[in-house]
Amino acid sequence: ESQSESSSESSSEAVQAVSEVVSEVVPETAAESHPAIIGVSPEDQDLYKPATGLNGQKIWRCLSDPSIVLSYDQINDDYCDCPDGSDEPGTNACPYNPERKFYCRNEGHIPGHIENYKLNDGVCDYDICCDGSDEYITGKCENKCPQIHQQFEEYKKSVNKDIEKSLQIKQQLIEEAQAKRKSSEDTLNELKETLAKKKAELERLKKEFEENKDVLEGEVAESVFDELSPHIEELSSSVRSYEKKLETQESKILHLEKILNGLVQHYNPNFNDAAVKDSVSKFQEYISNKEVEVGEELSETHKVLEVLAKKSKSISCTPYDRPDVIEPQTIKSLLQQRFTFYAQLILANFLQKPADARESSALFEEKKPAKSATEYNEEIESLEKEIKSIESEISIYEEDLAKDYGAKDILRAVASKRVNGKIGEYSYSLGFTDSISQDGVLIGSFVEFKDNKLIYKHGAKCWNGPSRSADVELICGPQNKLLTVSEPEKCEYLFELITPIVCENFTEEEILANFKIDYNRL
Amino acid sequence: VKDYLFKNCENSGFCHRNKHYADQISSLGSEYKSDYSIDANSVEVISGPDKFFIQGQIVKVLPNLPEEKVVLPLKISVLEGNNIRIQVDEAKREAINIANKFINHQRYNETSNWAFVNQELQYVKTEDADLKKSDTKFSITYGKSKEYVAELEFYPIKLTVYHLGEAQVVVNDRGFLNVEHWRPKDANADHLSPQESDFNMFQDDFKDSKEDSLPLGPESIGLDFTFKNFRNLYGIPEHADTLNLKDTTESNNPYRLFNVDIFEYETDSRLPMYGSIPLLLAVKPALSVGLFWINSADTFINVDKSNSTKDSKTHWVSENGVIDFIILIGSTPAEINKNYGAITGYTQLPPLFSLGYHQCRWNYNDEKDVLDINSLMDQHQIPYDTIWLDIEYTDSKKYFTWQEDKFPDPEGMLKELDLTGRNLVVIIDPHIKTGYDVSNQLEKKKICMNDPSNSSYHGHCWPGESVWIDTLNPSSQSFWDSKFSWDKKNKFTGGESTNLHLWNDMNEPSVFNGPETSSPKDNLHYGGWEHRSVHNIYGLSFHEATFNSLVKRLDGHTRERPFVLTRSYFAGSQRTAAMWTGDNMSKWEYLKISIPMILTSNVVGMPFSGADVGGFFGNPSKELLTRWYQTGIWYPFFRAHAHIDSRRREPWVPGEPYTSVIREALNLRYSLLPVFYTAFYESSTNGSPIMKPIFYESLNNLESYSIEDQFFIGSSGLMVKPVTDENANDITIYIPDTEIYYDFTNGDLSKVGWYNVRKPGYIRKDVTLHDIPVLIKGGHIIARKERYRRSTKLMANDPYTIVVALDKYGHAEGNIYIDDGESFGYSTSGESINVHIKYSKDGLTAHVNGSNKEYINSLGNIGIEKIIIISPFKLIIENPKLKINSDWSIQIILDIEHDEL
């Protein structure tokens, strides 16, 4: 339906320019039959051999779609003909395809493959093409391969030296870590053995108690509740009175907070009064970190008192003395002190009883049953407690042993180490499997070790933001040292830590990838 | 926004008084006898080789003091471009005996010195205007074919401008002319007319303004303008409001022009903002009128469209200064833009890089952060040109310093950015922290803004206690120049770096402890002028000083054109700076309002404008961020910015599919840079908008006058309707005329969809997250550069693709402007070309216009790789092997008959 006719001076200046440079920069390869195609590595040159068309002209087919036939001079003519971009290995005419990068020979250094959009844009991308061949049309970039290769060799040498030293330290750390693991495993096994013993003992006691049930049922436990109850009531009422005082204080605090909230909402943020701004931000911080759980704690105290009252019913009575009460400094600590006192008193005076009883009963072995029902109950309860505690210890060890501390458990070796450092105006302290803090403010607690990164979370809360957290990127080096810290997001920190624990032998490619040219020395 | 911090008309002394005066006069109706008249005997014509004006006297009588008369000198001049200028001063202020000897007690008349590009205005020649005078009136006939008449009646005073015998603008139609003449405080009662109120004449009762000493008492000016048969008014930014100005009588909430740092501004508001341009455009199909109110004091404009006539009535009041205004008249708004630009200057042709993508955030923390972002852009193949540093780069907000531990080597950082053609923009504000060398020198040289006792004013801003450079003082320029000197040892500028540019913020000026967050109005500037007189030009004077310093710094180097962004601006700011709409929020409504705000800026000659992509305050959703990029690529100034408390949101942060969609949008902007650059070139010669309201191209279609969510890009024919609604599945696009529009969504021409409506109206279109709805109007030819590069500079040698969109009759034409994008060679030695491409039945023809042969030849390696001709059918000419710097023509025979469409 349409025709076109070009009346322009059809010329192939661009193509000529290309082929001129080709003969300069890339000499002909082993495949003698055709000149080397610019941008194509020697091993791929074969893909660019011309074929002969029906009329004897040189043709070529797109690599991924051989049904598309081009005349041979359409290769690198700065116009994209093949959907896969294969006809333009030496220009940026086709959309960038990571599979098809431009080949730089980089004689004297390591060959490079550069993205086509970097070709002939006037930029010397020496990090990939030290020979400057990416700028073969602009001609802006002279060959710097000798200098760059020398820099690379120096770099490689120093990297390898560092690595060697670091790997030695790392080996020691691995051994330490293995030893620590071994010792944990040993402790775990011991605990498991003890647990089995205690469980057997419990079984035995329960059985014995069951067997003597009939005799023991006749016994009536002498209740001490009547004796103890006035004291407990006294305790309760003093708890309640402090509770009231606490409420009064709370309401005062609430009132103050209301006033300050008003300030935060209505102050003019444009009037830069440093004192106001500082107070506002501190108050916001305070609100974020405030925990409103006093009420719950008090109800917990009541619960404990109730349990105490119940328990005391089954315990025989011994007189006790009231302690001298020291005036406490805060309501909370007073409550705690009082509570601890009474609790200890009860424990000391009553809970020891069964042990005494057991001793005395040993003297009269022939008497059956050897223990009273109370004693049986106490002993079983105490054993059960012990078992529980061993079990929880076991689970801690198991959990710890199951944790991912990196290959060969390497973090185990540094678990208790702290790295301290001052960066900028702040001091930081980092415990590998513990926590990070900035001038005493918790940035986060260790959560996991992943992709050469230590992850810390759940730090002190920020106003208008999340809880503080940090990622620590580990960089291989012989000594533990905090290198940098940044805060890419508010209250989300990013550290770089030099440490031997992540050191590995680098391949040459990896060294090359990390190598940075010192442009000042070119 | 804390709007109670800002004055409205009721609690602003001069606005309150003028409104009272206007209300009194309106209620008296024909009973009212004006106190103002023109002395017929005083009117005379002054003419000479390069001057030609009419002068005379307005006389104001004082009802309580019959023997005293206030003389108000009047001057009327007819300027080239059909502009008529009226100036009214107040005689006899010399005799004033006031306590403060530092104050200049004249009425401020230097606003035009800052607003005008050239103080030597071109006057119409005497013989080109006909003058007629009688005892009661005076008239001037002017215009190319004498189509305009300005008629001045002496009593009551009234100036009417006619076009072909029909009244268009009537000045003082309602008799609100008011000049509050000087009077001693104790005699004030005698000086008041019965229609006047004395509200806050000698003190200010408003909140933080109470300390205003008002040493000269009441000085306000007021005047009303009726636009006959005009219902559509535009301009007078900056307001977060509709494109088409609203009636403000009902809400009693006039538009206010008073540059302020408005915190968390709201949309749909007439509150003042960071900048002001007192130019109003009134448009109707056959005629456009501009009113340029040349006054830099606090100003309120009441717009009355509620009346039963077809007129729009406006009332302008300013706190002080002279009455000085220009009435521009022409057949189209584009003509007004051109004539207004001839007076105030056209926008500078910006360095090409500044039309690329700007990546900003408060703040990139240190050198490593900056360079990481720089390389992450490449890793994600995001084209970008400029990274920005907000205030935190400085040592304790001391401008011209770097925070040493975070930026130990600015020069090295600039060099690394330069490797890939990237630029750095750093912020410098006018408040200078006290107690270090820069502020010490300012105080020593006495070039600070002063307090009423004429010693340097100390207020608070970011650094805490600060002084403000008085850039109205000519001595400030050389001091400022020294800070930007071309010197290896100048650490601030990265030594001899050429890729450092500037951002001037807080130049309203923002003063945290000042009234309405700005300077006390009784502060003093150079010349003894009170701040109240110069308030709205302070920002301009500051960014202009920065621009001048940078021009000097870069003079003679490869990159000569500086880039300056300003937050505060005035008429004339377009000559030296780009502006952005300040601190917006990450909400959909702010994305929407950005379009009418930027359109308004374009209508009043300040086209290099943009809004913070993503929204400054808050965290945009991924969808909002994506839609904002898709909209932002059309802003003439295209920058993403974010508040320090917001999360990072660089294009790769939202992840897929968003990152790819954003990348596509950015690639579209970059591929269309030839279109944007050409539009900027045109604007730099004729003031035409870059982002252009629809009605500019459909003046006969009144329905299009309020379309504000859709726009054209320059004269390219590209018509864009960005998606600004959450979860949008479809969109309607307004087709304003019966020309063919081709679907150009996402810049994709693979499908040839087209619309050709019988009458203007809406079409509906499905959209996905990927879609940026664009149409190209038939009759246009544009050029694109379709290959991805890392920055604009690196695209220089890439080939063009030409897109030809045929109109109903099979015609199309367009221009491509090309220069080096960085030097002044285009203006000093003709180093530019303008390629005109035209399609007609004879085929496609390109003609290269350019005067510098050497330059033309230097473009010889830039080709044209593709020509796409779109009509209801599509034709692609692949690899035509043409060069952009030579003339060519191609014969094309299309089988279809165009006039059959």
Side-chain angles (χ1 to χ4, degrees):
Chain A
E1 76 241 326
S2 59
Q3 285 185 322
S4 83
E5 220 179 81
S6 169
S7 72
S8 69
E9 333 106 66
S10 105
S11 105
S12 52
E13 271 173 35
V15 180
Q16 279 172 3
V18 173
S19 49
E20 269 170 35
V21 182
V22 167
S23 56
E24 264 175 42
V25 194
V26 184
E28 293 204 1
T29 57
E32 299 286 337
S33 58
H34 67 102
I37 297 296
I38 193 160
V40 179
S41 66
E43 58 267 31
D44 285 344
Q45 286 288 345
D46 282 354
L47 300 172
Y48 287 86
K49 273 189 190 159
T52 308
L54 291 174
N55 305 327
Q57 80 278 34
K58 277 178 162 187
I59 58 158
W60 183 81
R61 296 165 190 276
C62 296
L63 294 182
S64 316
D65 189 353
S67 69
I68 304 174
V69 180
L70 308 181
S71 82
Y72 194 65
D73 60 11
Q74 279 176 280
I75 296 173
N76 280 340
D77 69 343
D78 202 25
Y79 188 80
C80 191
D81 296 293
C82 299
D84 65 346
S86 56
D87 63 315
E88 294 295 318
T91 77
N92 68 328
C94 295
Y96 170 59
N97 174 349
E99 307 285 301
R100 307 200 176 279
K101 291 187 179 177
F102 177 95
Y103 169 81
C104 322
R105 209 169 140 211
N106 290 349
E107 190 162 2
H109 188 48
I110 298 153
H113 295 270
I114 193 166
E115 299 87 343
N116 71 345
Y117 58 80
K118 294 182 178 172
L119 296 174
N120 295 310
D121 61 355
V123 180
C124 302
D125 288 291
Y126 284 133
D127 54 337
I128 310 173
C129 298
C130 62
D131 59 3
S133 62
D134 56 324
E135 294 299 312
Y136 66 91
I137 293 177
T138 66
K140 277 196 170 168
C141 309
E142 48 179 307
N143 186 343
K144 300 271 189 186
C145 286
Q147 297 96 307
I148 287 169
H149 191 68
Q150 195 194 333
Q151 279 189 25
F152 176 66
E153 285 298 326
E154 287 166 20
Y155 174 74
K156 198 163 78 178
K157 213 167 155 188
S158 86
V159 167
N160 284 333
K161 202 174 142 199
D162 249 19
I163 292 260
E164 200 181 327
K165 194 171 157 197
S166 305
L167 284 176
Q168 277 172 13
I169 300 171
K170 188 183 175 184
Q171 193 48 44
Q172 285 168 15
L173 288 175
I174 288 172
E175 280 159 24
E176 271 176 52
Q178 294 301 315
K180 281 197 177 164
R181 183 177 187 99
K182 177 93 192 352
S183 123
S184 287
E185 281 169 349
D186 289 351
T187 313
L188 180 64
N189 287 336
E190 274 169 36
L191 281 171
K192 279 182 174 166
E193 272 171 39
T194 315
L195 181 68
K197 274 184 205 155
K198 293 280 174 188
K199 277 188 170 167
E201 168 98 12
L202 181 66
E203 278 308 298
R204 191 187 58 77
L205 257 180
K206 278 185 173 169
K207 206 174 158 197
E208 204 175 295
F209 181 58
E210 204 58 33
E211 279 165 2
N212 293 303
K213 215 176 178 182
D214 297 343
V215 189
L216 291 168
E217 257 169 15
E219 284 181 23
V220 177
E222 194 187 342
S223 172
V224 292
F225 181 61
D226 291 342
E227 187 117 0
L228 208 53
S229 71
H231 303 295
I232 289 176
E233 268 161 27
E234 193 196 340
L235 179 63
S236 284
S237 89
S238 82
V239 165
R240 232 163 270 138
S241 105
Y242 285 122
E243 203 179 326
K244 276 224 174 83
K245 283 190 188 163
L246 205 57
E247 275 168 10
T248 321
Q249 300 289 354
E250 277 286 299
S251 82
K252 283 184 183 167
I253 291 175
L254 281 177
H255 184 64
L256 263 176
E257 283 177 357
K258 223 172 138 187
I259 296 174
L260 286 167
N261 259 325
L263 173 71
V264 168
Q265 277 165 26
H266 301 299
Y267 83 107
N268 181 355
N270 275 3
F271 291 1
N272 207 20
D273 185 325
V276 173
K277 281 198 162 173
D278 190 46
S279 306
V280 165
S281 87
K282 284 202 173 124
F283 175 67
Q284 281 160 333
E285 185 106 352
Y286 156 82
I287 286 291
S288 306
N289 285 300
K290 190 183 138 185
E291 285 157 18
V292 223
E293 276 159 11
V294 186
E296 276 177 39
E297 275 172 24
L298 277 172
S299 83
E300 280 296 305
T301 313
H302 283 302
K303 254 188 227 161
V304 175
L305 280 169
E306 266 168 43
V307 173
L308 201 59
K310 249 188 227 163
K311 280 261 159 123
S312 60
K313 278 189 185 175
S314 61
I315 299 166
S316 57
C317 168
T318 310
Y320 67 97
D321 297 316
R322 260 197 75 139
D324 297 326
V325 177
I326 304 151
E327 261 324 300
Q329 297 198 319
T330 68
I331 295 168
K332 204 175 168 186
S333 67
L334 176 117
L335 272 176
Q336 208 166 1
Q337 215 167 28
R338 277 263 171 134
F339 179 70
T340 316
F341 166 73
Y342 284 112
Q344 275 175 355
L345 189 75
I346 290 160
L347 288 173
N349 285 334
F350 309 118
L351 297 186
Q352 289 304 308
K353 244 350 196 192
D356 297 346
R358 199 161 51 226
E359 253 174 60
S360 64
S361 72
L363 295 173
F364 310 99
E365 264 181 346
E366 65 270 37
K367 272 196 183 173
K368 288 233 170 167
K371 294 159 191 171
S372 69
T374 318
E375 286 169 331
Y376 268 112
N377 277 333
E378 288 300 325
E379 212 169 315
I380 286 172
E381 211 171 297
S382 129
L383 251 179
E384 280 174 341
K385 241 185 201 166
E386 220 177 317
I387 286 172
K388 231 181 205 169
S389 125
I390 294 172
E391 277 172 345
S392 84
E393 217 176 324
I394 285 176
S395 77
I396 289 171
Y397 273 96
E398 279 177 339
E399 220 173 273
D400 180 63
L401 284 167
K403 252 192 195 164
D404 185 3
Y405 278 162
K408 298 190 177 147
D409 266 20
I410 186 132
L411 265 187
R412 232 167 259 287
V414 290
S416 58
K417 282 207 177 107
R418 290 203 81 84
V419 184
N420 299 313
K422 198 171 155 79
I423 305 175
E425 45 194 313
Y426 297 107
S427 295
Y428 296 90
S429 175
L430 175 151
F432 283 86
T433 59
D434 180 30
S435 64
I436 303 187
S437 59
Q438 176 196 55
D439 286 346
V441 176
L442 182 69
I443 288 179
S445 302
F446 176 70
V447 179
E448 60 176 333
F449 179 40
K450 209 174 137 188
D451 307 330
N452 273 357
K453 258 191 226 163
L454 301 172
I455 315 252
Y456 299 80
K457 285 183 178 159
H458 316 300
K461 208 167 177 308
C462 273
W463 173 69
N464 211 0
S467 290
R468 290 175 173 81
S469 63
D471 283 8
V472 180
E473 281 183 5
L474 304 181
I475 298 166
C476 168
Q479 248 90 45
N480 289 327
K481 190 182 170 222
L482 271 174
L483 189 65
T484 66
V485 58
S486 58
E487 197 182 345
E489 296 280 3
K490 208 174 182 202
C491 302
E492 291 177 20
Y493 297 82
L494 180 64
F495 291 86
E496 287 181 322
L497 177 73
I498 299 181
T499 173
I501 67 172
V502 289
C503 291
E504 298 289 346
N505 262 321
F506 281 156
T507 63
E508 179 140 304
E509 281 104 55
E510 284 165 331
I511 296 176
L512 187 62
N514 287 325
F515 166 62
K516 283 221 168 67
I517 298 167
D518 180 354
Y519 281 90
N520 292 325
R521 284 174 57 204
L522 288 187
Chain B
V1 71
K2 303 202 181 334
D3 54 0
Y4 55 83
L5 292 173
F6 298 96
K7 289 179 178 179
N8 55 40
C9 189
E10 288 307 305
N11 54 32
S12 158
F14 73 95
C15 190
H16 182 112
R17 297 196 298 273
N18 276 281
K19 181 168 189 296
H20 175 89
Y21 186 64
D23 289 348
Q24 291 290 308
I25 290 169
S26 301
S27 66
L28 286 170
S30 56
E31 282 171 39
Y32 173 68
K33 296 285 171 275
S34 174
D35 297 336
Y36 295 87
S37 63
I38 289 171
D39 174 3
N41 294 326
S42 70
V43 177
E44 59 179 325
V45 177
I46 309 290
S47 70
D50 48 4
K51 63 180 174 182
F52 167 51
F53 55 84
I54 297 101
Q55 68 177 32
Q57 285 180 353
I58 294 176
V59 175
K60 177 186 182 184
V61 295
L62 306 174
N64 298 328
L65 297 169
E67 69 285 0
E68 275 193 44
K69 283 192 173 71
V70 180
V71 174
L72 307 169
L74 165 76
K75 183 174 168 185
I76 301 175
S77 15
V78 184
L79 310 173
E80 292 271 309
N82 306 327
N83 304 324
I84 178 159
R85 183 184 188 190
I86 286 88
Q87 290 158 282
V88 179
D89 203 345
E90 179 183 356
K92 277 181 92 175
R93 287 177 71 97
E94 313 272 359
I96 292 173
N97 177 21
I98 52 159
N100 189 331
K101 63 178 177 358
F102 304 112
I103 298 184
N104 185 332
H105 36 72
Q106 295 303 306
R107 284 188 174 269
Y108 184 66
N109 62 355
E110 294 179 8
T111 304
S112 56
N113 291 1
W114 293 98
F116 290 4
V117 63
N118 184 350
Q119 302 317 318
E120 307 297 313
L121 286 184
Q122 298 297 305
Y123 292 98
V124 163
K125 289 195 190 77
T126 323
E127 58 269 27
D128 290 340
D130 298 340
L131 308 174
K132 240 188 249 168
K133 189 190 158 190
S134 75
D135 290 345
T136 58
K137 60 185 182 188
F138 183 93
S139 71
I140 312 162
T141 304
Y142 59 104
K144 212 184 227 167
S145 44
K146 303 279 163 75
E147 64 268 46
Y148 304 113
V149 177
E151 185 181 78
L152 181 66
E153 293 166 61
F154 297 159
Y155 191 84
I157 299 176
K158 192 187 267 191
L159 175 74
T160 309
V161 178
Y162 297 88
H163 172 245
L164 299 177
E166 218 172 287
Q168 304 297 344
V169 188
V170 185
V171 184
N172 206 31
D173 187 31
R174 294 184 282 170
F176 297 165
L177 169 65
N178 185 24
V179 177
E180 290 181 327
H181 63 281
W182 186 84
R183 78 285 311 265
K185 190 176 177 183
D186 49 13
N188 189 33
D190 291 340
H191 285 258
L192 292 175
S193 80
Q195 288 76 36
E196 278 186 290
S197 139
D198 66 350
F199 177 76
N200 276 358
M201 278 186 152
F202 291 91
Q203 89 269 343
D204 193 329
D205 291 337
F206 183 75
K207 291 184 167 59
D208 303 308
S209 306
K210 290 192 177 99
E211 286 172 32
D212 189 351
S213 57
L214 285 158
L216 303 174
E219 302 181 88
S220 80
I221 51 169
L223 194 54
D224 68 275
F225 297 83
T226 297
F227 297 91
K228 303 294 277 182
N229 282 310
F230 286 94
R231 277 302 210 187
N232 299 291
L233 309 181
Y234 306 91
I236 54 170
E238 182 177 20
H239 303 98
D241 206 12
T242 46
L243 171 66
N244 203 332
L245 297 180
K246 288 195 170 102
D247 172 272
T248 60
T249 51
E250 250 164 76
S251 60
N252 191 19
N253 195 359
Y255 289 95
R256 184 178 176 201
L257 299 180
F258 185 67
N259 300 348
V260 285
D261 179 359
I262 188 157
F263 184 75
E264 295 186 344
Y265 65 78
E266 278 165 20
T267 59
D268 187 20
S269 164
R270 265 65 63 209
L271 281 181
M273 290 180 68
Y274 312 95
S276 50
I277 297 180
L279 172 68
L280 181 142
L281 263 78
V283 183
K284 57 187 177 188
L287 202 77
S288 290
V289 171
L291 169 59
F292 180 28
W293 178 259
I294 308 160
N295 188 295
S296 44
D298 193 357
T299 297
F300 285 86
I301 302 146
N302 193 54
V303 177
D304 182 357
K305 294 185 184 178
S306 67
N307 56 80
S308 54
T309 66
K310 285 181 180 164
D311 307 337
S312 293
K313 301 183 175 185
T314 63
H315 183 199
W316 298 61
V317 296
S318 291
E319 185 174 6
N320 71 352
V322 294
I323 291 179
D324 186 357
F325 61 90
I326 295 177
I327 292 174
L328 307 101
I329 192 158
S331 51
T332 62
E335 211 175 302
I336 305 298
N337 291 141
K338 187 168 187 211
N339 291 338
Y340 168 79
I343 298 166
T344 59
Y346 298 115
T347 204
Q348 60 151 336
L349 181 58
L352 182 57
F353 84 81
S354 66
L355 305 190
Y357 171 53
H358 296 263
Q359 181 66 52
C360 187
R361 150 170 203 93
W362 178 22
N363 225 104
Y364 290 115
N365 301 324
D366 49 31
E367 275 172 22
K368 186 174 176 296
D369 201 359
V370 168
L371 296 173
D372 281 351
I373 296 290
N374 188 51
S375 59
L376 278 165
M377 290 284 184
D378 296 338
Q379 279 173 38
H380 294 277
Q381 288 171 53
I382 306 287
Y384 102 111
D385 271 75
T386 310
I387 190 161
W388 291 54
L389 290 174
D390 208 320
I391 50 177
E392 311 296 332
Y393 78 90
T394 59
D395 170 17
S396 323
K397 321 280 189 305
K398 288 184 283 194
Y399 299 116
F400 304 105
T401 68
W402 293 87
Q403 194 182 344
E404 296 268 345
D405 58 337
K406 301 202 163 159
F407 295 92
D409 181 19
E411 187 178 354
M413 176 173 66
L414 278 154
K415 266 191 187 154
E416 184 160 342
L417 291 172
D418 201 14
L419 287 176
T420 41
R422 269 75 182 256
N423 300 272
L424 181 72
V425 172
V426 296
I427 197 166
I428 294 281
D429 295 344
H431 54 259
I432 308 291
K433 187 181 173 69
T434 52
Y436 81 112
D437 62 332
V438 179
S439 52
N440 291 344
Q441 288 174 61
L442 284 172
E443 296 208 64
K444 206 172 138 200
K445 290 177 187 289
K446 298 197 186 307
I447 48 175
C448 295
M449 173 169 74
N450 287 337
D451 63 20
S453 72
N454 215 33
S455 14
S456 53
Y457 169 75
H458 287 224
H460 280 254
C461 205
W462 294 126
E465 191 184 294
S466 307
V467 294
W468 274 260
I469 182 169
D470 182 14
T471 35
L472 280 83
N473 187 331
S475 310
S476 290
Q477 185 67 60
S478 58
F479 174 74
W480 210 237
D481 293 347
S482 71
K483 297 287 127 201
F484 296 90
S485 62
W486 180 262
D487 183 352
K488 272 200 177 73
K489 290 188 215 111
N490 188 344
K491 186 164 184 191
F492 165 66
T493 55
E496 298 178 339
S497 298
T498 54
N499 56 338
L500 177 92
H501 299 270
L502 262 291
W503 173 14
N504 287 157
D505 196 357
M506 313 295 278
N507 50 337
E508 293 75 24
S510 175
V511 179
F512 289 156
N513 61 330
E516 304 189 78
T517 325
S518 193
S519 162
K521 284 179 168 174
D522 53 1
N523 271 353
L524 294 176
H525 290 263
Y526 175 76
W529 297 114
E530 277 198 282
H531 181 77
R532 86 181 76 248
S533 310
V534 302
H535 177 85
N536 284 346
I537 50 165
Y538 177 77
L540 180 157
S541 75
F542 181 67
H543 73 70
E544 202 163 271
T546 303
F547 180 85
N548 292 340
S549 294
L550 285 176
V551 168
K552 283 176 212 165
R553 168 181 169 73
L554 295 171
D555 182 31
H557 303 286
T558 49
R559 297 190 181 106
E560 294 177 305
R561 283 183 239 169
F563 170 79
V564 177
L565 178 74
T566 182
R567 193 170 71 180
S568 183
Y569 56 91
F570 191 72
S573 280
Q574 71 272 12
R575 298 188 299 265
T576 54
M579 64 72 82
W580 92 109
T581 62
D583 300 343
N584 59 358
M585 300 179 96
S586 299
K587 294 180 179 173
W588 290 90
E589 72 219 62
Y590 287 83
L591 167 59
K592 276 193 212 299
I593 199 79
S594 71
I595 299 171
M597 288 180 78
I598 294 168
L599 286 174
T600 294
S601 198
N602 275 267
V603 166
V604 295
M606 183 87 203
F608 202 4
S609 50
D612 284 345
V613 170
F616 180 63
F617 293 111
N619 295 304
S621 69
K622 293 174 179 189
E623 186 191 353
L624 174 57
L625 181 67
T626 306
R627 290 300 191 197
W628 214 317
Y629 271 100
Q630 293 175 334
T631 307
I633 60 166
W634 306 104
Y635 298 161
F637 170 61
F638 173 34
R639 181 183 75 153
H641 186 33
H643 188 270
I644 195 164
D645 285 338
S646 61
R647 298 184 64 81
R648 295 252 168 163
R649 52 166 101 134
E650 288 70 25
W652 51 87
V653 174
E656 292 305 332
Y658 305 97
T659 295
S660 289
V661 177
I662 292 169
R663 184 188 298 112
E664 284 164 22
L666 281 154
N667 283 332
L668 181 55
R669 165 76 172 211
Y670 274 76
S671 74
L672 291 173
L673 280 169
V675 170
F676 278 93
Y677 199 52
T678 301
F680 266 95
Y681 171 71
E682 287 168 1
S683 188
S684 75
T685 61
N686 63 16
S688 55
I690 310 285
M691 211 164 119
K692 188 162 71 176
I694 297 300
F695 72 83
Y696 266 64
E697 299 218 351
S698 53
L699 288 168
N700 287 320
N701 171 8
L702 282 168
E703 199 182 41
S704 70
Y705 278 50
S706 293
I707 304 273
E708 60 173 19
D709 55 1
Q710 195 177 317
F711 47 84
F712 286 103
I713 296 298
S715 60
S716 67
L718 292 176
M719 186 172 78
V720 187
K721 170 75 185 264
V723 180
T724 57
D725 283 311
E726 192 166 15
N727 298 322
N729 294 317
D730 57 15
I731 195 165
T732 56
I733 304 176
Y734 186 72
I735 309 282
D737 51 45
T738 55
E739 188 45 78
I740 303 185
Y741 285 81
Y742 303 95
D743 198 327
F744 198 61
T745 297
N746 306 327
D748 180 9
L749 282 166
S750 62
K751 301 162 224 120
V752 192
W754 51 279
Y755 307 92
N756 187 12
V757 295
R758 285 217 192 94
K759 62 175 205 197
Y762 287 91
I763 54 128
R764 206 194 63 88
K765 202 177 140 52
D766 290 336
V767 291
T768 66
L769 181 70
H770 285 261
D771 292 333
I772 310 171
V774 188
L775 304 180
I776 182 166
K777 185 176 177 176
H780 294 272
I781 296 178
I782 61 167
R784 308 176 46 154
K785 284 203 174 190
E786 294 181 336
R787 303 182 183 184
Y788 162 69
R789 293 292 198 180
R790 288 169 285 184
S791 65
T792 54
K793 185 179 160 72
L794 311 190
M795 296 168 78
N797 292 321
D798 281 346
Y800 290 87
T801 290
I802 308 294
V803 177
V804 181
L806 302 188
D807 69 10
K808 285 193 287 190
Y809 309 102
H811 295 110
E813 60 186 309
N815 279 307
I816 312 163
Y817 173 80
I818 300 166
D819 66 19
D820 66 13
E822 55 188 21
S823 78
F824 285 120
Y826 73 95
S827 72
T828 54
S829 42
E831 290 170 1
S832 69
I833 59 168
N834 217 324
V835 184
H836 181 72
I837 305 181
K838 194 174 173 182
Y839 184 97
S840 67
K841 62 180 189 317
D842 304 324
L844 190 62
T845 314
H847 178 66
V848 176
N849 294 296
S851 58
N852 186 322
K853 276 262 147 42
E854 204 179 324
Y855 177 74
I856 295 173
N857 290 336
S858 76
L859 301 174
N861 53 351
I862 305 175
I864 294 169
E865 64 175 331
K866 208 187 282 181
I867 298 170
I868 303 173
I869 299 170
I870 45 175
S871 64
F873 301 93
K874 187 174 72 169
L875 169 65
I876 299 179
I877 304 172
E878 299 193 3
N879 207 6
K881 303 219 156 100
L882 299 170
K883 296 291 174 194
I884 199 69
N885 68 341
S886 50
D887 293 357
W888 47 264
S889 67
I890 300 175
Q891 276 190 331
I892 295 161
I893 302 139
L894 287 175
D895 280 351
I896 44 163
E897 287 291 324
H898 277 279
D899 26 17
E900 282 174 11
L901 290 173

